[in-house]
PDB file of all heavy atoms in Angstrom:
ATOM      1  N   TYR A 471       4.398  86.572  87.321  1.00 97.00           N
ATOM      2  CA  TYR A 471       5.214  87.718  87.692  1.00 97.00           C
ATOM      3  C   TYR A 471       4.450  88.573  88.692  1.00 97.00           C
ATOM      4  O   TYR A 471       3.296  88.910  88.458  1.00 97.00           O
ATOM      5  CB  TYR A 471       5.576  88.567  86.464  1.00 97.00           C
ATOM      6  CG  TYR A 471       6.331  89.820  86.814  1.00 97.00           C
ATOM      7  CD1 TYR A 471       7.638  89.757  87.281  1.00 97.00           C
ATOM      8  CD2 TYR A 471       5.730  91.069  86.711  1.00 97.00           C
ATOM      9  CE1 TYR A 471       8.330  90.903  87.626  1.00 97.00           C
ATOM     10  CE2 TYR A 471       6.410  92.219  87.044  1.00 97.00           C
ATOM     11  CZ  TYR A 471       7.714  92.132  87.499  1.00 97.00           C
ATOM     12  OH  TYR A 471       8.387  93.275  87.850  1.00 97.00           O
ATOM     13  N   GLU A 472       5.106  88.898  89.793  1.00 94.00           N
ATOM     14  CA  GLU A 472       4.552  89.834  90.766  1.00 94.00           C
ATOM     15  C   GLU A 472       5.442  91.064  90.790  1.00 94.00           C
ATOM     16  O   GLU A 472       6.666  90.962  90.643  1.00 94.00           O
ATOM     17  CB  GLU A 472       4.510  89.193  92.154  1.00 94.00           C
ATOM     18  CG  GLU A 472       3.492  88.085  92.266  1.00 94.00           C
ATOM     19  CD  GLU A 472       3.448  87.486  93.669  1.00 94.00           C
ATOM     20  OE1 GLU A 472       3.922  88.136  94.619  1.00 94.00           O
ATOM     21  OE2 GLU A 472       2.950  86.373  93.785  1.00 94.00           O
ATOM     22  N   SER A 473       4.841  92.186  90.997  1.00 94.00           N
ATOM     23  CA  SER A 473       5.566  93.446  91.023  1.00 94.00           C
ATOM     24  C   SER A 473       6.794  93.366  91.933  1.00 94.00           C
ATOM     25  O   SER A 473       6.739  92.793  93.017  1.00 94.00           O
ATOM     26  CB  SER A 473       4.618  94.547  91.512  1.00 94.00           C
ATOM     27  OG  SER A 473       5.283  95.773  91.515  1.00 94.00           O
ATOM     28  N   ILE A 474       7.888  93.950  91.461  1.00 94.00           N
ATOM     29  CA  ILE A 474       9.136  93.975  92.224  1.00 94.00           C
ATOM     30  C   ILE A 474       9.418  95.423  92.597  1.00 94.00           C
ATOM     31  O   ILE A 474       9.593  96.270  91.719  1.00 94.00           O
ATOM     32  CB  ILE A 474      10.300  93.405  91.381  1.00 94.00           C
ATOM     33  CG1 ILE A 474      10.075  91.925  91.109  1.00 94.00           C
ATOM     34  CG2 ILE A 474      11.636  93.647  92.068  1.00 94.00           C
ATOM     35  CD1 ILE A 474      11.073  91.311  90.146  1.00 94.00           C
ATOM     36  N   SER A 475       9.458  95.703  93.880  1.00 93.00           N
ATOM     37  CA  SER A 475       9.729  97.077  94.318  1.00 93.00           C
ATOM     38  C   SER A 475      11.207  97.196  94.691  1.00 93.00           C
ATOM     39  O   SER A 475      11.571  97.240  95.852  1.00 93.00           O
ATOM     40  CB  SER A 475       8.838  97.464  95.496  1.00 93.00           C
ATOM     41  OG  SER A 475       9.065  96.577  96.568  1.00 93.00           O
ATOM     42  N   GLN A 476      12.036  97.225  93.655  1.00 93.00           N
ATOM     43  CA  GLN A 476      13.480  97.270  93.872  1.00 93.00           C
ATOM     44  C   GLN A 476      14.125  98.127  92.791  1.00 93.00           C
ATOM     45  O   GLN A 476      13.839  97.966  91.613  1.00 93.00           O
ATOM     46  CB  GLN A 476      14.058  95.855  93.811  1.00 93.00           C
ATOM     47  CG  GLN A 476      15.524  95.772  94.102  1.00 93.00           C
ATOM     48  CD  GLN A 476      15.843  96.110  95.540  1.00 93.00           C
ATOM     49  OE1 GLN A 476      15.282  95.547  96.455  1.00 93.00           O
ATOM     50  NE2 GLN A 476      16.728  97.058  95.741  1.00 93.00           N
ATOM     51  N   ASP A 477      14.981  99.037  93.214  1.00 94.00           N
ATOM     52  CA  ASP A 477      15.772  99.805  92.270  1.00 94.00           C
ATOM     53  C   ASP A 477      17.147  99.163  92.147  1.00 94.00           C
ATOM     54  O   ASP A 477      17.646  98.563  93.103  1.00 94.00           O
ATOM     55  CB  ASP A 477      15.946 101.248  92.743  1.00 94.00           C
ATOM     56  CG  ASP A 477      14.664 102.057  92.642  1.00 94.00           C
ATOM     57  OD1 ASP A 477      13.718 101.601  91.968  1.00 94.00           O
ATOM     58  OD2 ASP A 477      14.608 103.142  93.247  1.00 94.00           O
ATOM     59  N   VAL A 478      17.744  99.290  90.979  1.00 94.00           N
ATOM     60  CA  VAL A 478      19.110  98.827  90.773  1.00 94.00           C
ATOM     61  C   VAL A 478      19.894  99.927  90.072  1.00 94.00           C
ATOM     62  O   VAL A 478      19.331 100.730  89.329  1.00 94.00           O
ATOM     63  CB  VAL A 478      19.180  97.522  89.943  1.00 94.00           C
ATOM     64  CG1 VAL A 478      18.615  96.353  90.717  1.00 94.00           C
ATOM     65  CG2 VAL A 478      18.480  97.656  88.606  1.00 94.00           C
ATOM     66  N   LEU A 479      21.201  99.966  90.327  1.00 94.00           N
ATOM     67  CA  LEU A 479      22.071 100.906  89.641  1.00 94.00           C
ATOM     68  C   LEU A 479      22.467 100.260  88.320  1.00 94.00           C
ATOM     69  O   LEU A 479      23.168  99.237  88.302  1.00 94.00           O
ATOM     70  CB  LEU A 479      23.311 101.212  90.486  1.00 94.00           C
ATOM     71  CG  LEU A 479      24.291 102.209  89.874  1.00 94.00           C
ATOM     72  CD1 LEU A 479      23.623 103.563  89.667  1.00 94.00           C
ATOM     73  CD2 LEU A 479      25.517 102.352  90.756  1.00 94.00           C
ATOM     74  N   THR A 480      21.976 100.819  87.226  1.00 95.00           N
ATOM     75  CA  THR A 480      22.183 100.193  85.923  1.00 95.00           C
ATOM     76  C   THR A 480      21.918 101.208  84.829  1.00 95.00           C
ATOM     77  O   THR A 480      21.610 102.370  85.098  1.00 95.00           O
ATOM     78  CB  THR A 480      21.262  98.956  85.772  1.00 95.00           C
ATOM     79  OG1 THR A 480      21.708  98.175  84.669  1.00 95.00           O
ATOM     80  CG2 THR A 480      19.803  99.338  85.610  1.00 95.00           C
ATOM     81  N   ASP A 481      22.004 100.775  83.615  1.00 96.00           N
ATOM     82  CA  ASP A 481      21.574 101.554  82.462  1.00 96.00           C
ATOM     83  C   ASP A 481      20.255 100.941  81.995  1.00 96.00           C
ATOM     84  O   ASP A 481      20.221  99.776  81.597  1.00 96.00           O
ATOM     85  CB  ASP A 481      22.624 101.487  81.347  1.00 96.00           C
ATOM     86  CG  ASP A 481      22.221 102.312  80.138  1.00 96.00           C
ATOM     87  OD1 ASP A 481      21.272 101.895  79.426  1.00 96.00           O
ATOM     88  OD2 ASP A 481      22.835 103.355  79.900  1.00 96.00           O
ATOM     89  N   GLU A 482      19.193 101.711  82.081  1.00 97.00           N
ATOM     90  CA  GLU A 482      17.852 101.198  81.802  1.00 97.00           C
ATOM     91  C   GLU A 482      17.726 100.613  80.397  1.00 97.00           C
ATOM     92  O   GLU A 482      17.151  99.542  80.202  1.00 97.00           O
ATOM     93  CB  GLU A 482      16.833 102.320  82.008  1.00 97.00           C
ATOM     94  CG  GLU A 482      15.410 101.880  81.888  1.00 97.00           C
ATOM     95  CD  GLU A 482      14.424 102.967  82.307  1.00 97.00           C
ATOM     96  OE1 GLU A 482      14.841 104.019  82.833  1.00 97.00           O
ATOM     97  OE2 GLU A 482      13.220 102.736  82.098  1.00 97.00           O
ATOM     98  N   LYS A 483      18.260 101.294  79.417  1.00 97.00           N
ATOM     99  CA  LYS A 483      18.160 100.843  78.025  1.00 97.00           C
ATOM    100  C   LYS A 483      18.864  99.507  77.828  1.00 97.00           C
ATOM    101  O   LYS A 483      18.302  98.571  77.254  1.00 97.00           O
ATOM    102  CB  LYS A 483      18.773 101.901  77.097  1.00 97.00           C
ATOM    103  CG  LYS A 483      18.919 101.461  75.656  1.00 97.00           C
ATOM    104  CD  LYS A 483      19.599 102.556  74.852  1.00 97.00           C
ATOM    105  CE  LYS A 483      20.605 101.960  73.910  1.00 97.00           C
ATOM    106  NZ  LYS A 483      21.347 102.969  73.169  1.00 97.00           N
ATOM    107  N   TRP A 484      20.084  99.394  78.314  1.00 97.00           N
ATOM    108  CA  TRP A 484      20.870  98.185  78.086  1.00 97.00           C
ATOM    109  C   TRP A 484      20.376  97.006  78.914  1.00 97.00           C
ATOM    110  O   TRP A 484      20.344  95.871  78.432  1.00 97.00           O
ATOM    111  CB  TRP A 484      22.356  98.442  78.306  1.00 97.00           C
ATOM    112  CG  TRP A 484      22.909  99.292  77.201  1.00 97.00           C
ATOM    113  CD1 TRP A 484      23.314 100.592  77.288  1.00 97.00           C
ATOM    114  CD2 TRP A 484      23.083  98.912  75.836  1.00 97.00           C
ATOM    115  NE1 TRP A 484      23.731 101.048  76.046  1.00 97.00           N
ATOM    116  CE2 TRP A 484      23.606 100.028  75.139  1.00 97.00           C
ATOM    117  CE3 TRP A 484      22.859  97.738  75.123  1.00 97.00           C
ATOM    118  CZ2 TRP A 484      23.899  99.997  73.779  1.00 97.00           C
ATOM    119  CZ3 TRP A 484      23.160  97.710  73.766  1.00 97.00           C
ATOM    120  CH2 TRP A 484      23.666  98.830  73.112  1.00 97.00           C
ATOM    121  N   LEU A 485      19.950  97.256  80.158  1.00 98.00           N
ATOM    122  CA  LEU A 485      19.382  96.165  80.949  1.00 98.00           C
ATOM    123  C   LEU A 485      18.068  95.706  80.314  1.00 98.00           C
ATOM    124  O   LEU A 485      17.777  94.510  80.270  1.00 98.00           O
ATOM    125  CB  LEU A 485      19.163  96.569  82.406  1.00 98.00           C
ATOM    126  CG  LEU A 485      18.611  95.455  83.299  1.00 98.00           C
ATOM    127  CD1 LEU A 485      19.537  94.241  83.323  1.00 98.00           C
ATOM    128  CD2 LEU A 485      18.371  95.975  84.704  1.00 98.00           C
ATOM    129  N   GLY A 486      17.287  96.638  79.791  1.00 98.00           N
ATOM    130  CA  GLY A 486      16.055  96.283  79.088  1.00 98.00           C
ATOM    131  C   GLY A 486      16.351  95.396  77.881  1.00 98.00           C
ATOM    132  O   GLY A 486      15.630  94.437  77.612  1.00 98.00           O
ATOM    133  N   PHE A 487      17.429  95.699  77.159  1.00 98.00           N
ATOM    134  CA  PHE A 487      17.828  94.872  76.029  1.00 98.00           C
ATOM    135  C   PHE A 487      18.112  93.441  76.485  1.00 98.00           C
ATOM    136  O   PHE A 487      17.662  92.473  75.863  1.00 98.00           O
ATOM    137  CB  PHE A 487      19.073  95.459  75.343  1.00 98.00           C
ATOM    138  CG  PHE A 487      19.646  94.552  74.287  1.00 98.00           C
ATOM    139  CD1 PHE A 487      19.172  94.587  72.991  1.00 98.00           C
ATOM    140  CD2 PHE A 487      20.650  93.637  74.602  1.00 98.00           C
ATOM    141  CE1 PHE A 487      19.691  93.738  72.013  1.00 98.00           C
ATOM    142  CE2 PHE A 487      21.174  92.784  73.638  1.00 98.00           C
ATOM    143  CZ  PHE A 487      20.688  92.835  72.346  1.00 98.00           C
ATOM    144  N   VAL A 488      18.853  93.293  77.592  1.00 98.00           N
ATOM    145  CA  VAL A 488      19.215  91.962  78.097  1.00 98.00           C
ATOM    146  C   VAL A 488      17.968  91.197  78.521  1.00 98.00           C
ATOM    147  O   VAL A 488      17.775  90.037  78.133  1.00 98.00           O
ATOM    148  CB  VAL A 488      20.225  92.064  79.257  1.00 98.00           C
ATOM    149  CG1 VAL A 488      20.425  90.708  79.934  1.00 98.00           C
ATOM    150  CG2 VAL A 488      21.552  92.628  78.770  1.00 98.00           C
ATOM    151  N   ILE A 489      17.107  91.831  79.296  1.00 98.00           N
ATOM    152  CA  ILE A 489      15.887  91.152  79.752  1.00 98.00           C
ATOM    153  C   ILE A 489      15.010  90.778  78.555  1.00 98.00           C
ATOM    154  O   ILE A 489      14.457  89.681  78.492  1.00 98.00           O
ATOM    155  CB  ILE A 489      15.122  92.022  80.775  1.00 98.00           C
ATOM    156  CG1 ILE A 489      15.935  92.109  82.071  1.00 98.00           C
ATOM    157  CG2 ILE A 489      13.728  91.464  81.050  1.00 98.00           C
ATOM    158  CD1 ILE A 489      15.409  93.105  83.092  1.00 98.00           C
ATOM    159  N   GLY A 490      14.923  91.658  77.575  1.00 98.00           N
ATOM    160  CA  GLY A 490      14.170  91.360  76.359  1.00 98.00           C
ATOM    161  C   GLY A 490      14.758  90.169  75.608  1.00 98.00           C
ATOM    162  O   GLY A 490      14.016  89.312  75.113  1.00 98.00           O
ATOM    163  N   GLN A 491      16.065  90.092  75.540  1.00 97.00           N
ATOM    164  CA  GLN A 491      16.716  88.976  74.858  1.00 97.00           C
ATOM    165  C   GLN A 491      16.429  87.663  75.584  1.00 97.00           C
ATOM    166  O   GLN A 491      16.142  86.645  74.944  1.00 97.00           O
ATOM    167  CB  GLN A 491      18.236  89.223  74.793  1.00 97.00           C
ATOM    168  CG  GLN A 491      18.990  88.133  74.075  1.00 97.00           C
ATOM    169  CD  GLN A 491      18.562  87.989  72.632  1.00 97.00           C
ATOM    170  OE1 GLN A 491      18.514  88.955  71.885  1.00 97.00           O
ATOM    171  NE2 GLN A 491      18.242  86.772  72.225  1.00 97.00           N
ATOM    172  N   ILE A 492      16.481  87.688  76.898  1.00 98.00           N
ATOM    173  CA  ILE A 492      16.214  86.480  77.690  1.00 98.00           C
ATOM    174  C   ILE A 492      14.758  86.046  77.502  1.00 98.00           C
ATOM    175  O   ILE A 492      14.471  84.865  77.309  1.00 98.00           O
ATOM    176  CB  ILE A 492      16.524  86.713  79.186  1.00 98.00           C
ATOM    177  CG1 ILE A 492      17.977  87.161  79.400  1.00 98.00           C
ATOM    178  CG2 ILE A 492      16.193  85.484  80.014  1.00 98.00           C
ATOM    179  CD1 ILE A 492      19.047  86.289  78.822  1.00 98.00           C
ATOM    180  N   LEU A 493      13.831  87.010  77.551  1.00 98.00           N
ATOM    181  CA  LEU A 493      12.416  86.686  77.317  1.00 98.00           C
ATOM    182  C   LEU A 493      12.199  86.145  75.906  1.00 98.00           C
ATOM    183  O   LEU A 493      11.450  85.181  75.710  1.00 98.00           O
ATOM    184  CB  LEU A 493      11.532  87.905  77.547  1.00 98.00           C
ATOM    185  CG  LEU A 493      11.166  88.223  78.982  1.00 98.00           C
ATOM    186  CD1 LEU A 493      10.362  89.530  79.050  1.00 98.00           C
ATOM    187  CD2 LEU A 493      10.379  87.094  79.608  1.00 98.00           C
ATOM    188  N   SER A 494      12.844  86.751  74.929  1.00 96.00           N
ATOM    189  CA  SER A 494      12.717  86.295  73.551  1.00 96.00           C
ATOM    190  C   SER A 494      13.164  84.839  73.411  1.00 96.00           C
ATOM    191  O   SER A 494      12.481  84.026  72.788  1.00 96.00           O
ATOM    192  CB  SER A 494      13.550  87.196  72.633  1.00 96.00           C
ATOM    193  OG  SER A 494      13.579  86.681  71.325  1.00 96.00           O
ATOM    194  N   ASN A 495      14.308  84.505  74.008  1.00 95.00           N
ATOM    195  CA  ASN A 495      14.786  83.123  73.969  1.00 95.00           C
ATOM    196  C   ASN A 495      13.829  82.177  74.679  1.00 95.00           C
ATOM    197  O   ASN A 495      13.530  81.091  74.181  1.00 95.00           O
ATOM    198  CB  ASN A 495      16.174  83.014  74.605  1.00 95.00           C
ATOM    199  CG  ASN A 495      17.272  83.506  73.692  1.00 95.00           C
ATOM    200  OD1 ASN A 495      17.049  83.831  72.531  1.00 95.00           O
ATOM    201  ND2 ASN A 495      18.471  83.580  74.228  1.00 95.00           N
ATOM    202  N   ALA A 496      13.351  82.591  75.846  1.00 97.00           N
ATOM    203  CA  ALA A 496      12.421  81.748  76.603  1.00 97.00           C
ATOM    204  C   ALA A 496      11.164  81.476  75.782  1.00 97.00           C
ATOM    205  O   ALA A 496      10.679  80.343  75.715  1.00 97.00           O
ATOM    206  CB  ALA A 496      12.070  82.402  77.937  1.00 97.00           C
ATOM    207  N   LEU A 497      10.641  82.506  75.144  1.00 97.00           N
ATOM    208  CA  LEU A 497       9.443  82.341  74.323  1.00 97.00           C
ATOM    209  C   LEU A 497       9.721  81.487  73.089  1.00 97.00           C
ATOM    210  O   LEU A 497       8.881  80.678  72.680  1.00 97.00           O
ATOM    211  CB  LEU A 497       8.895  83.705  73.913  1.00 97.00           C
ATOM    212  CG  LEU A 497       8.228  84.497  75.031  1.00 97.00           C
ATOM    213  CD1 LEU A 497       8.077  85.963  74.649  1.00 97.00           C
ATOM    214  CD2 LEU A 497       6.888  83.883  75.397  1.00 97.00           C
ATOM    215  N   LYS A 498      10.874  81.646  72.509  1.00 94.00           N
ATOM    216  CA  LYS A 498      11.238  80.885  71.302  1.00 94.00           C
ATOM    217  C   LYS A 498      11.314  79.384  71.580  1.00 94.00           C
ATOM    218  O   LYS A 498      10.897  78.573  70.761  1.00 94.00           O
ATOM    219  CB  LYS A 498      12.592  81.377  70.779  1.00 94.00           C
ATOM    220  CG  LYS A 498      12.990  80.768  69.452  1.00 94.00           C
ATOM    221  CD  LYS A 498      14.418  81.111  69.017  1.00 94.00           C
ATOM    222  CE  LYS A 498      14.776  82.555  69.090  1.00 94.00           C
ATOM    223  NZ  LYS A 498      16.137  82.840  68.593  1.00 94.00           N
ATOM    224  N   TYR A 499      11.829  79.029  72.768  1.00 94.00           N
ATOM    225  CA  TYR A 499      12.080  77.620  73.063  1.00 94.00           C
ATOM    226  C   TYR A 499      11.081  77.000  74.044  1.00 94.00           C
ATOM    227  O   TYR A 499      11.298  75.902  74.526  1.00 94.00           O
ATOM    228  CB  TYR A 499      13.512  77.443  73.569  1.00 94.00           C
ATOM    229  CG  TYR A 499      14.532  77.799  72.508  1.00 94.00           C
ATOM    230  CD1 TYR A 499      15.316  78.939  72.619  1.00 94.00           C
ATOM    231  CD2 TYR A 499      14.676  77.007  71.377  1.00 94.00           C
ATOM    232  CE1 TYR A 499      16.243  79.265  71.641  1.00 94.00           C
ATOM    233  CE2 TYR A 499      15.596  77.329  70.384  1.00 94.00           C
ATOM    234  CZ  TYR A 499      16.382  78.459  70.524  1.00 94.00           C
ATOM    235  OH  TYR A 499      17.288  78.779  69.552  1.00 94.00           O
ATOM    236  N   THR A 500       9.993  77.702  74.351  1.00 96.00           N
ATOM    237  CA  THR A 500       8.960  77.163  75.238  1.00 96.00           C
ATOM    238  C   THR A 500       7.696  76.926  74.428  1.00 96.00           C
ATOM    239  O   THR A 500       7.132  77.864  73.861  1.00 96.00           O
ATOM    240  CB  THR A 500       8.676  78.128  76.420  1.00 96.00           C
ATOM    241  OG1 THR A 500       9.895  78.331  77.133  1.00 96.00           O
ATOM    242  CG2 THR A 500       7.631  77.559  77.354  1.00 96.00           C
ATOM    243  N   ARG A 501       7.271  75.680  74.397  1.00 95.00           N
ATOM    244  CA  ARG A 501       6.076  75.327  73.614  1.00 95.00           C
ATOM    245  C   ARG A 501       4.839  75.219  74.489  1.00 95.00           C
ATOM    246  O   ARG A 501       3.733  75.514  74.054  1.00 95.00           O
ATOM    247  CB  ARG A 501       6.326  74.013  72.879  1.00 95.00           C
ATOM    248  CG  ARG A 501       7.421  74.148  71.840  1.00 95.00           C
ATOM    249  CD  ARG A 501       7.634  72.871  71.049  1.00 95.00           C
ATOM    250  NE  ARG A 501       8.760  73.043  70.147  1.00 95.00           N
ATOM    251  CZ  ARG A 501       9.916  72.396  70.264  1.00 95.00           C
ATOM    252  NH1 ARG A 501      10.090  71.514  71.227  1.00 95.00           N
ATOM    253  NH2 ARG A 501      10.888  72.620  69.409  1.00 95.00           N
ATOM    254  N   THR A 502       5.014  74.735  75.721  1.00 96.00           N
ATOM    255  CA  THR A 502       3.899  74.615  76.667  1.00 96.00           C
ATOM    256  C   THR A 502       4.366  75.081  78.033  1.00 96.00           C
ATOM    257  O   THR A 502       5.565  75.143  78.308  1.00 96.00           O
ATOM    258  CB  THR A 502       3.404  73.151  76.788  1.00 96.00           C
ATOM    259  OG1 THR A 502       4.476  72.350  77.280  1.00 96.00           O
ATOM    260  CG2 THR A 502       2.916  72.618  75.457  1.00 96.00           C
ATOM    261  N   GLY A 503       3.406  75.379  78.886  1.00 97.00           N
ATOM    262  CA  GLY A 503       3.760  75.828  80.238  1.00 97.00           C
ATOM    263  C   GLY A 503       3.869  77.327  80.267  1.00 97.00           C
ATOM    264  O   GLY A 503       2.944  78.039  79.895  1.00 97.00           O
ATOM    265  N   GLY A 504       5.028  77.806  80.684  1.00 97.00           N
ATOM    266  CA  GLY A 504       5.154  79.243  80.755  1.00 97.00           C
ATOM    267  C   GLY A 504       6.486  79.728  81.281  1.00 97.00           C
ATOM    268  O   GLY A 504       7.464  78.995  81.360  1.00 97.00           O
ATOM    269  N   ILE A 505       6.470  80.995  81.663  1.00 98.00           N
ATOM    270  CA  ILE A 505       7.666  81.691  82.124  1.00 98.00           C
ATOM    271  C   ILE A 505       7.358  82.322  83.471  1.00 98.00           C
ATOM    272  O   ILE A 505       6.281  82.889  83.672  1.00 98.00           O
ATOM    273  CB  ILE A 505       8.094  82.757  81.098  1.00 98.00           C
ATOM    274  CG1 ILE A 505       8.490  82.057  79.783  1.00 98.00           C
ATOM    275  CG2 ILE A 505       9.238  83.611  81.632  1.00 98.00           C
ATOM    276  CD1 ILE A 505       8.684  82.983  78.609  1.00 98.00           C
ATOM    277  N   ARG A 506       8.303  82.208  84.361  1.00 98.00           N
ATOM    278  CA  ARG A 506       8.177  82.776  85.707  1.00 98.00           C
ATOM    279  C   ARG A 506       9.328  83.747  85.923  1.00 98.00           C
ATOM    280  O   ARG A 506      10.478  83.420  85.635  1.00 98.00           O
ATOM    281  CB  ARG A 506       8.232  81.639  86.719  1.00 98.00           C
ATOM    282  CG  ARG A 506       8.076  82.057  88.133  1.00 98.00           C
ATOM    283  CD  ARG A 506       7.993  80.828  89.037  1.00 98.00           C
ATOM    284  NE  ARG A 506       8.133  81.242  90.404  1.00 98.00           N
ATOM    285  CZ  ARG A 506       8.926  80.667  91.292  1.00 98.00           C
ATOM    286  NH1 ARG A 506       9.640  79.617  90.955  1.00 98.00           N
ATOM    287  NH2 ARG A 506       8.992  81.124  92.512  1.00 98.00           N
ATOM    288  N   ILE A 507       9.007  84.937  86.418  1.00 98.00           N
ATOM    289  CA  ILE A 507      10.019  85.961  86.677  1.00 98.00           C
ATOM    290  C   ILE A 507       9.905  86.351  88.147  1.00 98.00           C
ATOM    291  O   ILE A 507       8.825  86.734  88.605  1.00 98.00           O
ATOM    292  CB  ILE A 507       9.806  87.206  85.791  1.00 98.00           C
ATOM    293  CG1 ILE A 507       9.800  86.810  84.313  1.00 98.00           C
ATOM    294  CG2 ILE A 507      10.869  88.258  86.078  1.00 98.00           C
ATOM    295  CD1 ILE A 507       9.378  87.932  83.378  1.00 98.00           C
ATOM    296  N   TYR A 508      11.018  86.262  88.869  1.00 97.00           N
ATOM    297  CA  TYR A 508      10.990  86.611  90.291  1.00 97.00           C
ATOM    298  C   TYR A 508      12.360  87.077  90.760  1.00 97.00           C
ATOM    299  O   TYR A 508      13.373  86.902  90.072  1.00 97.00           O
ATOM    300  CB  TYR A 508      10.488  85.441  91.133  1.00 97.00           C
ATOM    301  CG  TYR A 508      11.273  84.151  90.993  1.00 97.00           C
ATOM    302  CD1 TYR A 508      12.241  83.802  91.916  1.00 97.00           C
ATOM    303  CD2 TYR A 508      11.028  83.278  89.933  1.00 97.00           C
ATOM    304  CE1 TYR A 508      12.951  82.612  91.790  1.00 97.00           C
ATOM    305  CE2 TYR A 508      11.727  82.094  89.803  1.00 97.00           C
ATOM    306  CZ  TYR A 508      12.690  81.765  90.735  1.00 97.00           C
ATOM    307  OH  TYR A 508      13.396  80.590  90.607  1.00 97.00           O
ATOM    308  N   LEU A 509      12.375  87.671  91.935  1.00 96.00           N
ATOM    309  CA  LEU A 509      13.590  88.238  92.509  1.00 96.00           C
ATOM    310  C   LEU A 509      13.971  87.468  93.761  1.00 96.00           C
ATOM    311  O   LEU A 509      13.107  87.150  94.579  1.00 96.00           O
ATOM    312  CB  LEU A 509      13.350  89.716  92.864  1.00 96.00           C
ATOM    313  CG  LEU A 509      14.562  90.520  93.306  1.00 96.00           C
ATOM    314  CD1 LEU A 509      15.527  90.735  92.147  1.00 96.00           C
ATOM    315  CD2 LEU A 509      14.111  91.863  93.861  1.00 96.00           C
ATOM    316  N   GLU A 510      15.244  87.161  93.879  1.00 93.00           N
ATOM    317  CA  GLU A 510      15.777  86.583  95.108  1.00 93.00           C
ATOM    318  C   GLU A 510      16.759  87.574  95.708  1.00 93.00           C
ATOM    319  O   GLU A 510      17.527  88.201  94.980  1.00 93.00           O
ATOM    320  CB  GLU A 510      16.517  85.265  94.844  1.00 93.00           C
ATOM    321  CG  GLU A 510      15.632  84.083  94.743  1.00 93.00           C
ATOM    322  CD  GLU A 510      16.402  82.768  94.734  1.00 93.00           C
ATOM    323  OE1 GLU A 510      17.647  82.772  94.708  1.00 93.00           O
ATOM    324  OE2 GLU A 510      15.727  81.742  94.737  1.00 93.00           O
TER     325      GLU A 510
END
């Protein structure tokens, strides 16, 4: 993960919940290797 200098119009609490859920799933189902987070 590299720092992302981008603002978005959103609700911080609820978007944080979604990103946390996605990370939780990724961690639950990843045994080796890792996770990559990036912006396109």
Side-chain angles (χ1 to χ4, degrees):
Y471 176 70
E472 291 181 19
S473 181
I474 294 173
S475 59
Q476 183 68 53
D477 289 346
V478 292
L479 181 61
T480 195
D481 181 289
E482 186 171 352
K483 171 183 138 183
W484 289 109
L485 182 59
F487 172 86
V488 171
I489 291 171
Q491 181 61 51
I492 303 306
L493 279 176
S494 173
N495 283 354
L497 288 164
K498 186 188 311 183
Y499 296 110
T500 302
R501 295 183 184 113
T502 61
I505 296 169
R506 182 174 168 227
I507 304 171
Y508 57 98
L509 188 69
E510 278 190 355

